[in-house]
Amino acid sequence: MSRKIPRAALAALLTLAAGAPLTACSDDGARLGYQADYADHPPLRVTGYPSTGSLETVQQVVWQLADGDVDGLAALDTEGGDARSAARDWVEAYGKAAHGEVTADFLDEGSVRQDVVLHFAGPRRTQDLTVRIGDDDSWGAVLDAPDPEPASR
């Protein structure tokens, strides 16, 4: 006994079957991109107790600085508006230093917001940074004006 599948049902099944691999690839693609960035940059030294989101965001900030990626850094901003100017200032101030050893001191508890002090070993400079969950429920950074002075701590 042979059953015929209605055309509408067959079209729906084909659409689902074609879309399933794309959905799976998008999560894997993001993960692979993160793993590639992780492998392409010096390790970030960490003190304190970061959450998964705050750690990943700080790593991305340092990686964007090292790569000189103004647009990528601006995309991490949680404050809305055009963050390209602030991101450009950060890249100019810390881009070269981000190629070397960087330590991130995670302060406080980091479930939705965390203050971080970045220590750049080469020029011996520090920069305060706040990472938090933004309006779109993803982690990002508050790109305040970078501190132009070398560390005195």
Side-chain angles (χ1 to χ4, degrees):
M1 171 188 239
S2 170
R3 290 188 181 177
K4 282 193 166 183
I5 299 175
R7 260 182 219 223
L10 184 58
L13 284 173
L14 289 174
T15 300
L16 284 173
L22 295 175
T23 301
C25 290
S26 65
D27 289 341
D28 289 343
R31 209 37 34 208
L32 287 174
Y34 177 81
Q35 290 172 350
D37 280 342
Y38 187 90
D40 289 344
H41 296 90
L44 178 68
R45 294 178 182 260
V46 175
T47 65
Y49 300 97
S51 68
T52 302
S54 66
L55 175 60
E56 186 170 323
T57 301
V58 171
Q59 286 177 312
Q60 290 177 356
V61 166
V62 173
W63 297 340
Q64 303 303 340
L65 289 172
D67 294 345
D69 186 353
V70 171
D71 291 331
L73 185 58
L76 293 173
D77 183 63
T78 61
E79 301 309 290
D82 187 4
R84 287 182 45 79
S85 177
R88 191 175 302 108
D89 292 344
W90 275 71
V91 168
E92 287 176 15
Y94 299 107
K96 290 180 184 171
H99 287 277
E101 184 178 302
V102 180
T103 300
D105 293 336
F106 288 82
L107 312 174
D108 312 320
E109 179 273 332
S111 59
V112 296
R113 178 184 180 281
Q114 197 158 28
D115 291 321
V116 181
V117 179
L118 296 175
H119 300 273
F120 298 91
R124 296 189 51 80
R125 295 182 63 189
T126 63
Q127 174 63 48
D128 295 335
L129 173 67
T130 299
V131 292
R132 69 182 188 92
I133 296 177
D135 293 336
D136 62 353
D137 291 331
S138 65
W139 279 88
V142 178
L143 294 178
D144 291 330
D147 183 2
E149 298 300 318
S152 60
R153 303 178 205 183

